Amino acid sequence: MARTVIISFETDIIKVIYATRKKKGFVIDDALRINDSDFDSFLAQEKTREFIVTCSFSQHFTETILIPPVHKKHMRPIINNEVRKLCQFKEFSFVYTVLGEKTIEKKPMQEIFVYAVNTEMIRSVVDRFTRNGKAVRALYPDIFAAAAVLQPEDHPVLGVLETGLNKNLLVVKNGKVQFIRVVQAFETGMRDHDIQNINMTVNYCRQTMKVMLSRIVLLGSLCSNFSVTGHAELPLACFTHPLLNQKVSDQALYREFFIALSALFVPRDSDISLLPGEYTNLYHLEKFVRCAAAVFLVVSLFCVAQSGLTAKDIFELRTSVASIRKNLPDVNTALAQYRYGKENFSRYEPFLESYQKYLLLPDNYRLLYLLSRLTVENIDINSIRVSTGDAHRTLTIGQRQKYVVEISGSIASDSYGQMQTYYQRLLQSLLASGQFVIESKKLDIPQNRFYIQAYYQ
């Protein structure tokens, strides 16, 4: 469960809501009222690191402007340039609402409602948190936070929100602010002169803005401080929210902390935060650094644990090696035994070398047997020569020698075809044993003679 802390700056009183988010809503854990002079000490003692903040800005700029139809990613720079032409603030942050399209001189234009605040006023709020090592996740104008909880309707409504002695009259459609008018009153609560201002605003919306309001909605504490004898031009009702009524059993708490509670319902992807770009980037950077530090700490702990296990294995291995060393026999004794055995073995080395050379010689008896099995039909073998000398090439496989066998003779035949047949039979019988490899061969047909050179292996 994630805990959310909402801080609402309302004139000289600061209100704090502690809420625990759950799957289907939230639970209000605590609600506080803090004087402005005690706020810094409150932050210094508070363990929460990041907050959602709402603020009632005494000075702000509102205007409805027209811009050409552009993609959403190009809209903010164009609005910024238009507001800079109209606003007296040197630096400002703003939020806006797209009201719709209009045709001006046969050209389509987008109608935009803009709410801008001086950056210095925003910094004066945010710096109070940064000085105490806290972060502001979002900074909502109180009017836009209150508008976010109004239920989506097909027709716009006029919300009335009290801030100090001021009455904020806001036209809201589908949870988005379409128009704002701030009227200074003589006392808190809803009175007859406030109804007159509301009726004037309703007529202005109907006649000038061409916006037909469906009803008037009183927000927050106005519902409990109502003393009016006049009549409003539209149906008037106190705002109720199903989740707020269900989760906040104390209706007095609900009305007094309405703005702070409303901030709980602002979607995270909403674009009504007034935080300047440098604060937003700093917030994301700080959040990334904290996550990276947490990951680094986990990895470090894992490495330390792994190092401890490795050190334990090394210690056990060194202990085992030391034990083995103690139980090793005397090296000098083993070396003396080795030398004695080597001297005894050296007496048999000449015999072993001679025997190894003998094993490298081919099997002479097998060679003579295979030569006697050759097919010599109509063939006269004049000579068979077997050699291992340098006069002929000698091949070896492994360490075993090969004999070079040379066979020459004549073939008795009346035709060349029979001569070839007898010659081929001789070659096939030579290769049939699998121990001869023919290196070269020659058949001299006019002379009826042949020559074969093969290796016996």
Side-chain angles (χ1 to χ4, degrees), residues 34 39 49 51 209 255 271 279 311 340 399 433 447:
I34 304 173
F39 183 67
R49 288 191 54 84
F51 304 85
M209 298 179 59
R255 291 166 183 167
D271 54 357
Y279 284 102
Y340 176 76
Q399 297 296 325
S433 64
Q447 300 295 328

Side-chain angles (χ1 to χ4, degrees), residues 180-219:
I180 295 175
R181 182 187 178 194
V182 180
V183 179
Q184 187 172 5
F186 300 103
E187 55 183 321
T188 60
M190 184 62 62
R191 302 294 182 263
D192 286 335
H193 61 272
D194 298 317
I195 292 294
Q196 294 176 4
N197 290 325
I198 290 174
N199 290 335
M200 292 174 59
T201 304
V202 171
N203 291 328
Y204 174 82
C205 292
R206 182 187 302 122
Q207 297 174 8
T208 304
M209 298 179 59
K210 307 301 180 184
V211 175
M212 304 302 295
L213 300 173
S214 61
R215 60 195 177 102
I216 302 168
V217 181
L218 302 182
L219 306 174

Side-chain angles (χ1 to χ4, degrees), residues 160-164 166-168 187-190 219 221-222 259:
V160 184
L161 177 68
E162 184 176 59
T163 305
N166 292 335
K167 301 297 188 298
N168 300 299
E187 55 183 321
T188 60
M190 184 62 62
L219 306 174
S221 59
L222 289 176
I259 297 176

